[in-house]
Amino acid sequence: MRLYAARNRFGALPTTTAGVERAFTIFITGVRLGTVAQMVPTLYPGMQSSPRPGLYLTTWLAATFAALAVSVASLVKGRPLGAGYVLADFALASVVMLVGPLVVGPEDRVGTWVGFQPGYALSVIITAIGPRSPVVLAVGLLCVTGSYVVHVSGATLPGPGFSTAIGNGLTFVVYALVCRMFSTYMRRIARDADASRAVAAELARREEERRAQVLMHNGVAVMRILSEPNLPDATRIRLLEHAEVELQRMRDYLSRQSSPGTTAQPAGRPDPHQTQGDATSLADAVRLTCTRFRDLPIELALDLGIGIKMTPTQTEVVTRALDSLLLNVREHAKAEMVVVHLDAEPDGSWILTVNDNGSGFDSTSANHGIGLREVVVGELERAGYSVAVTSQVGDGTTVTITYAAQAVPRPPAKRARVAS
């Protein structure tokens, strides 16, 4: 059970810079404790065969204590030890090997764990991944390699023993380079991951600000119209009904923000949890939206789009844009006629057109404002629809929303086309 829990804790390490450093500490601890585990069985035979048992025990205890200290200190700090500790570790490994010829017989210095000194030095090389500077590793490797030459200089090397000594020396160099490359690469991956998460978080923050801005637009427009002193009572009643709808939308938005773990579905994209039975009629949704604007001279032409079905999420995007368009007409256009036309194609594509004969605007210099720029153009394009706005001063405005069947929603390559 404890091993299972430890495995889970390791698997739960975050893929961040701190998580990688924590993983390095586990790696260091495993290597150093594994080396001690190999040294333990040879302690008694090593003391029996050593010409200086007391000194042999002293060096063995020093190496063991250093391995345990490095493991504990790394785990406590949560990252590999720094350059000063690593240099001290290399120094101890070098001293232990320099003392080796005094405490280990010539026949045991190569190829046995009675002569534990080269094996201990190799564990120090493998775990010297804390310092970022290559100078520390180069200095430590040079000291250890020179000490190893002294350690085997008086050893008995018949036949295979000589090749083993050469192989051990090359192993020091190869393992040092491989571990250095591995640790550097893992740290770079972690830094890139942290940077990517930071960019994603900033984009999410900006998107959330945009969504809040879009959501507040219609409500602010309704309140601004309600504040007019000479507003007819019938219009005021209808506006209050509209304000209640916008208030409910704001409540839904705030409840999603306050719910832990809630992820908002991107606007206009099919929700994987929605079933076909949840589909709604776009024509009915458009008709219901227009009923909140009874004070406007709206003419509905929806018969050609009766069969269009959409998920509630997709319908919400379209009706929110239609809301904003009709609010703009109510507030700015002074139109005598507003035509809302829906047309469907056999392949499932459709076109929704909102045309008014109001005051219009100069498309070459007009600032569309948050209504057209974000609620209509921006949000619809982000949801995969095409939007065209055509207007001329004194000749009204036409907004055309087009949905192409089988089109994959994607971020728009450019903003909506505005023609004069």
Side-chain angles (χ1 to χ4, degrees):
M1 184 63 69
R2 291 181 179 177
L3 289 176
Y4 179 78
R7 186 186 66 182
N8 281 349
R9 284 196 297 272
F10 180 78
L13 286 173
T15 55
T16 61
T17 300
V20 167
E21 296 299 321
R22 188 68 179 173
F24 283 159
T25 66
I26 297 173
F27 168 74
I28 290 171
T29 302
V31 172
R32 301 304 287 267
L33 295 184
T35 302
V36 171
Q38 290 180 294
M39 291 166 53
V40 168
T42 59
L43 174 59
Y44 180 75
M47 292 182 63
Q48 293 294 315
S49 61
S50 174
R52 294 178 176 83
L55 185 57
Y56 181 91
L57 177 62
T58 300
T59 57
W60 189 95
L61 289 175
T64 301
F65 176 79
L68 295 176
V70 168
S71 300
V72 173
S74 299
L75 290 174
V76 170
K77 291 173 67 69
R79 62 181 185 275
L81 301 181
Y85 295 98
V86 170
L87 287 175
D89 213 10
F90 274 121
L92 177 62
S94 300
V95 170
V96 167
M97 276 202 295
L98 290 174
V99 176
L102 302 177
V103 298
V104 179
E107 68 282 358
D108 292 327
R109 294 180 198 170
V110 176
T112 72
W113 273 97
V114 168
F116 64 88
Q117 293 85 353
Y120 173 76
L122 181 61
S123 72
V124 172
I125 291 173
I126 292 174
T127 57
I129 56 179
R132 308 298 176 93
S133 172
V135 176
V136 175
L137 181 62
V139 171
L141 182 61
L142 182 63
C143 292
V144 168
T145 304
S147 301
Y148 180 70
V149 172
V150 174
H151 179 78
V152 300
S153 59
T156 303
L157 302 174
F162 180 78
S163 59
T164 301
I166 297 298
N168 288 344
L170 294 176
T171 299
F172 289 162
V173 178
V174 172
Y175 274 35
L177 295 177
V178 169
C179 290
R180 174 74 183 185
M181 292 173 59
F182 173 75
S183 62
T184 301
Y185 179 65
M186 292 300 295
R187 285 181 171 123
R188 183 164 65 86
I189 290 177
R191 287 195 302 271
D192 290 347
D194 284 346
S196 298
R197 272 188 286 268
V199 171
E202 176 62 19
L203 292 177
R205 184 190 64 79
R206 293 179 183 177
E207 176 66 13
E208 195 59 37
E209 288 181 352
R210 184 200 63 79
R211 289 181 64 241
Q213 187 182 39
V214 167
L215 189 64
M216 293 175 63
H217 168 266
N218 287 356
V220 171
V222 171
M223 288 187 290
R224 185 167 58 247
I225 298 174
L226 279 171
S227 66
E228 295 181 3
N230 299 323
L231 196 66
D233 291 341
T235 302
R236 187 179 299 277
I237 292 174
R238 286 190 289 272
L239 282 172
L240 289 173
E241 294 174 354
H242 196 161
E244 181 64 29
V245 173
E246 299 302 330
L247 176 61
Q248 186 58 48
R249 286 178 177 172
M250 179 62 74
R251 285 172 175 165
D252 292 341
Y253 172 80
L254 293 176
S255 65
R256 286 196 299 269
Q257 298 308 303
S258 60
S259 300
T262 301
T263 303
Q265 182 72 13
R269 304 193 183 200
D271 188 338
H273 300 293
Q274 296 281 4
T275 63
Q276 188 63 32
D278 293 325
T280 59
S281 168
L282 179 59
D284 290 344
V286 169
R287 183 178 291 106
L288 179 61
T289 300
C290 290
T291 60
R292 296 197 287 271
F293 296 87
R294 296 190 186 94
D295 55 311
L296 294 179
I298 299 177
E299 291 189 10
L300 296 178
L302 309 177
D303 293 345
L304 296 179
I306 292 296
I308 301 173
K309 299 292 183 180
M310 301 173 65
T311 66
T313 304
Q314 294 172 308
T315 304
E316 172 72 10
V317 176
V318 178
T319 56
R320 188 161 55 239
L322 181 59
D323 251 345
S324 183
L325 288 174
L326 295 179
L327 279 170
N328 283 340
V329 173
R330 172 187 278 161
E331 187 174 3
H332 303 294
K334 299 184 176 67
E336 297 179 355
M337 179 180 294
V338 183
V339 178
V340 179
H341 180 268
L342 181 61
D343 191 5
E345 300 293 338
D347 64 352
S349 303
W350 53 261
I351 300 174
L352 177 65
T353 304
V354 180
N355 172 261
D356 71 78
N357 63 352
S359 57
F361 58 87
D362 184 357
S363 61
T364 62
S365 61
N367 181 1
H368 297 166
I370 184 65
L372 284 178
R373 186 177 67 250
E374 288 294 344
V375 180
V376 178
V377 176
E379 189 168 7
L380 286 172
E381 285 190 341
R382 279 184 287 270
Y385 304 102
S386 299
V387 185
V389 181
T390 305
S391 186
Q392 189 172 1
V393 176
D395 197 26
T397 302
T398 300
V399 178
T400 304
I401 304 170
T402 304
Y403 170 76
Q406 309 302 323
V408 178
R410 62 186 184 277
K414 59 182 179 180
R415 306 301 294 171
R417 172 175 57 86
V418 179
S420 57

